[in-house]
Amino acid sequence: MARKQLRDLLRAQLEDGRFRLAQFDPDSTPGLKKRKSLKSDLKSHKTKIFDLQERLFAENKRSLLIVLQAMDTGGKDGTITHVIGNMNPQGVKITDFKAPTPEEKRHGFLWRIRRATPDAGQVGIFNRSHYEDVLVVRVHNLEPPAVIEKRYDLINKFEQELVKENKTTIVKFCLHISYDEQRRRLMDRLANPDKQWKFKENDINERAYWDDYQSAYSIAITRCSTDYAPWYIIPANDKDYRNWAVSRILVETLKDMDPQFPRPKLDVPRLMKRLKP
Ligand code: AMP
Ligand code: MG
């Protein structure tokens, strides 16, 4: 029997038509059998990801889009370093989304997102994404409720279009940490001179909106978790588990895509003969 996929365990599920982030324990480690093998599993996941990504790149027909969302200190950067870091950089396109620039503000919220989507053969990584336009924007009332309300459907349409027309496979990760864990990580940044560069006082302001963010995430995941672009909830207090889970879901996803090396019709004997010593 095929091994149960981690994707099935961590895919966001609606209950009574709603998803509730608060029900998920950020300390849990679903699907993990032996803690001892975390590190060696991660190594083997990374090798598989490297091999599958090479095939995707060589095939040059389809793409993979990885969306990373999390509260501040949630581990987006660490995930990129430790999971994505092993991919061949030629085939990777990483985009950070910050507060929109004046130019970006003149366009619809998906304008800058469309420009960052991966080309054929590429893996696109969104460090934050179009979901900020229904998360931070909702929490801080940066747009009227009616505008935000329409965005969920616009996001679904956009993602469906990417899947159908661009042959893009989409996986969305919500790295889920606890309120206490965020404090520990912010304290750690303050206490460690080599990490102080990461500290932003604004993170303390945002922390005051914790519950509003949790609820904005729950709404976004309720409205935008679809068969064609699923959300995965990754318990992320434990960084080793987080890397293990994200990398395993990427292996499962890429294996499913089953990218193939092109097999050009070459007259190999003739070409070898031409290659004079
Ligand atoms: P960081 O990822 O820590 O560098 O912070 C980026 C900041 O940009 C975060 O505070 C986000 O909430 C903010 N941001 C990203 N996208 C948007 C958006 N569409 N509207 C407003 N703020 C955003
Ligand atoms: Mg931050």
Side-chain angles (χ1 to χ4, degrees), residues 228-275:
Y228 50 86
W231 271 107
Y232 296 100
I233 312 306
I234 310 293
N237 276 3
D238 175 341
K239 295 175 183 177
D240 287 337
Y241 173 80
R242 174 200 76 204
N243 293 339
W244 178 86
V246 169
S247 59
R248 181 148 161 205
I249 289 176
L250 291 180
V251 171
E252 290 173 357
T253 304
L254 281 160
K255 267 194 180 161
D256 237 25
M257 291 175 79
D258 194 22
Q260 300 292 324
F261 287 120
R263 300 280 177 218
K265 285 200 180 71
L266 299 180
D267 182 350
V268 175
R270 182 184 66 80
L271 292 168
M272 283 184 167
K273 226 183 275 166
R274 280 200 59 204
L275 270 171

Side-chain angles (χ1 to χ4, degrees), residues 72 128 200 203:
D72 292 315
R128 302 187 191 269
K200 290 197 206 105
D203 290 352

